[in-house]
Amino acid sequence: MKMVAAAKLKGFESRMREARPIGDRIGYMVDQIPQPAEGEDVSEGDIINLLVPITSDRGLCGGVNGAICKAAKAMIAETKGDVQICILGSKGEAQLKRTNADQIVRIISDIYSKPTSFAQASEIVEEVTSSTKHDKVSVLYNKYVSAISYDTIIETMDSADSMEDRLAAMGEKFEFDDEFAESLHMNDMMQFCLASKVYSRVLESATSEVSARMQAMENATKNCGEMIDKLTLDMNKARQAAITQELSEIVSGAASVAE
């Protein structure tokens, strides 16, 4: 099983490394949006925060799902204002429903049934943004580091509606075509940024999941081997004890007959 997981890991890692620059570059694009002017900050208590924890659809992958849910619960406890949760992957549902069932607005599963694509990520973002109204989006995922480690990361983006004035200032900062419409195209740009981030971060989480599953399978194989060795030793001891007892009875019986 470890060999199967290792073969899958190679393919996931290749696709993840191709998509990683897309998600990282999106951060640069968002940084180009001017910061709000003094006095324009909205009270944190009035902000609607949307959390998007990326979990798996299958188990036997170590603590990848537990790490995401733990980070989500910690963020919810620290966040002021309303919090909505949209879970990607079915494994996060069971853990978050125990404590935050009333805050879950959407659960999207089977996202790994087919190879992850940008079109799929765009559909996910379209479904999430059309069904919820929010000011900030926080994506929680496991960033792949190596075959034996990963880091749980939280990345936050403001929504297009909450940055309407800032996006207008961006239109003044850069030169656009004459047919450019701020309200429409800036909203599309933020949708593209979020879709690109979700696409690359889903691949990061999927790669971390496969690497954790490979380690879990290796540990399971090792534990099975140790259990087999222990049971074999116990059985050999029991067989040897039975043989010794039979020999003792035979010797005792022969001695009694001789007398």
Side-chain angles (χ1 to χ4, degrees):
M1 296 179 73
K2 177 189 174 183
M3 295 177 63
V4 174
K8 289 184 178 180
L9 176 62
K10 186 175 181 180
F12 273 92
E13 186 176 358
S14 176
R15 291 193 294 272
M16 178 271 299
R17 294 198 182 279
E18 291 175 356
R20 179 179 282 179
I22 299 175
D24 293 342
R25 193 63 178 174
I26 290 302
Y28 170 79
M29 291 179 59
V30 175
D31 290 341
Q32 301 307 305
I33 301 174
Q35 295 299 315
E38 294 184 4
E40 292 183 1
D41 291 338
V42 180
S43 174
E44 291 184 357
D46 298 330
I47 293 177
I48 301 176
N49 300 274
L50 176 64
L51 270 61
V52 185
I54 302 176
T55 61
S56 67
D57 286 322
R58 299 167 55 198
L60 298 177
C61 52
V64 292
N65 297 314
I68 290 293
C69 294
K70 183 179 179 180
K73 291 177 182 178
M75 186 176 182
I76 292 170
E78 298 172 358
T79 301
K80 298 179 180 179
D82 294 334
V83 176
Q84 299 177 344
I85 305 174
C86 175
I87 303 174
L88 302 186
S90 59
K91 286 299 178 180
E93 177 183 1
Q95 298 188 44
L96 291 176
K97 263 191 173 181
R98 298 171 187 169
T99 54
N100 306 94
D102 56 331
Q103 295 172 307
I104 298 175
V105 295
R106 194 75 176 86
I107 300 170
I108 302 176
S109 57
D110 295 331
I111 60 175
Y112 305 103
S113 57
K114 296 180 181 179
T116 304
S117 64
F118 183 79
Q120 181 189 35
S122 300
E123 292 178 2
I124 293 173
V125 170
E126 179 68 24
E127 184 174 350
V128 170
T129 54
S130 62
S131 60
T132 61
K133 183 176 179 58
H134 55 274
D135 299 309
K136 289 181 178 291
V137 181
S138 298
V139 180
L140 294 81
Y141 70 99
N142 289 313
K143 183 176 182 180
Y144 177 80
V145 178
S146 67
I148 59 174
S149 65
Y150 55 85
D151 294 327
T152 302
I153 305 295
I154 301 175
E155 295 181 346
T156 302
M157 288 178 56
D158 293 335
S159 67
D161 293 336
S162 65
M163 294 192 299
E164 186 174 353
D165 295 336
R166 295 164 60 190
L167 291 174
M170 186 179 181
E172 299 173 358
K173 181 179 179 180
F174 297 94
E175 182 178 351
F176 296 95
D177 294 337
D178 294 337
E179 298 180 357
F180 179 80
E182 289 180 0
S183 60
L184 175 62
H185 292 81
M186 283 299 186
N187 185 68
D188 291 343
M189 186 194 76
M190 295 308 298
Q191 292 268 33
F192 171 78
C193 290
L194 184 56
S196 300
K197 190 171 287 292
V198 168
Y199 168 60
S200 63
R201 296 339 183 197
V202 166
L203 284 173
E204 290 271 4
S205 292
T207 307
S208 300
E209 175 193 345
V210 174
S211 67
R213 182 170 288 113
M214 183 182 69
Q215 292 301 314
M217 293 301 102
E218 181 181 8
N219 292 336
T221 302
K222 181 180 178 181
N223 292 338
C224 287
E226 292 177 353
M227 184 178 295
I228 290 172
D229 292 341
K230 183 177 182 301
L231 291 175
T232 300
L233 181 61
D234 291 342
M235 291 297 294
N236 287 338
K237 287 182 177 179
R239 181 174 59 85
Q240 188 64 42
I243 293 173
T244 303
Q245 182 178 358
E246 291 178 359
L247 289 175
S248 299
E249 293 175 355
I250 292 172
V251 171
S252 300
S256 299
V257 171
E259 292 176 358

